[in-house]
Amino acid sequence: MTTAQPGTAGATRTCPHCRETILESAAVCPACRHKLRFSEPASAIAAPASVPLRVEGSFRNPVDSGAWEYSMVLTIRDERGEEIARKLVGVGAMQPDEQRTFTLSVEMNSASAGGKRTRH
């Protein structure tokens, strides 16, 4: 995994609410959606600049089938195909005729250093 110096693009910190590792530049935690800075109105910072990738899919366990178990795993690779990160996102079980929907989105924001940051 790439580590960046504080104040540079890609630098990370821990969300004070959910303890997930997030980008230092984040004004809203992408995991728990809590606001992290008070310098801007929530409406101005809640949405990412762009979402270049969004994939959604669902599946239903057939009625005549037994229970199914699932594991949702996310893998990130660089341009050489080398694994940067691999995370187990969630696990669960589905009874016959139950459905689950999974959505993957990549949210992008500018990495420009903009002024003094205020955190709590």
Side-chain angles (χ1 to χ4, degrees):
M1 183 151 86
T2 304
T3 56
Q5 296 292 328
T8 62
T12 60
R13 64 182 168 132
T14 301
C15 172
H17 305 284
C18 68
R19 311 317 268 165
E20 286 288 332
T21 300
I22 60 172
L23 288 170
E24 184 180 79
S25 61
V28 174
C29 175
C32 68
R33 298 187 179 141
H34 276 92
K35 188 171 179 182
L36 302 171
R37 280 193 236 135
F38 295 103
S39 60
E40 300 177 49
S43 60
I45 56 177
S50 70
V51 182
L53 175 66
R54 180 180 166 85
V55 179
E56 184 170 292
S58 61
F59 56 90
R60 180 175 297 279
N61 187 355
V63 176
D64 57 351
S65 168
W68 283 358
E69 293 181 325
Y70 62 87
S71 299
M72 184 172 180
V73 179
L74 173 68
T75 305
I76 302 172
R77 297 181 186 278
D78 65 13
E79 64 277 0
R80 294 180 305 277
E82 295 173 4
E83 193 171 283
I84 296 172
R86 180 181 176 90
K87 298 286 182 181
L88 176 63
V89 178
V91 298
M94 297 171 51
Q95 298 304 315
D97 204 34
E98 284 187 331
Q99 179 176 322
R100 296 290 184 274
T101 301
F102 298 86
T103 304
L104 164 73
S105 62
V106 177
E107 301 175 348
M108 304 292 274
N109 286 299
S110 172
S112 63
K116 192 180 234 184
R117 296 182 174 139
T118 305
R119 301 185 230 177
H120 72 279

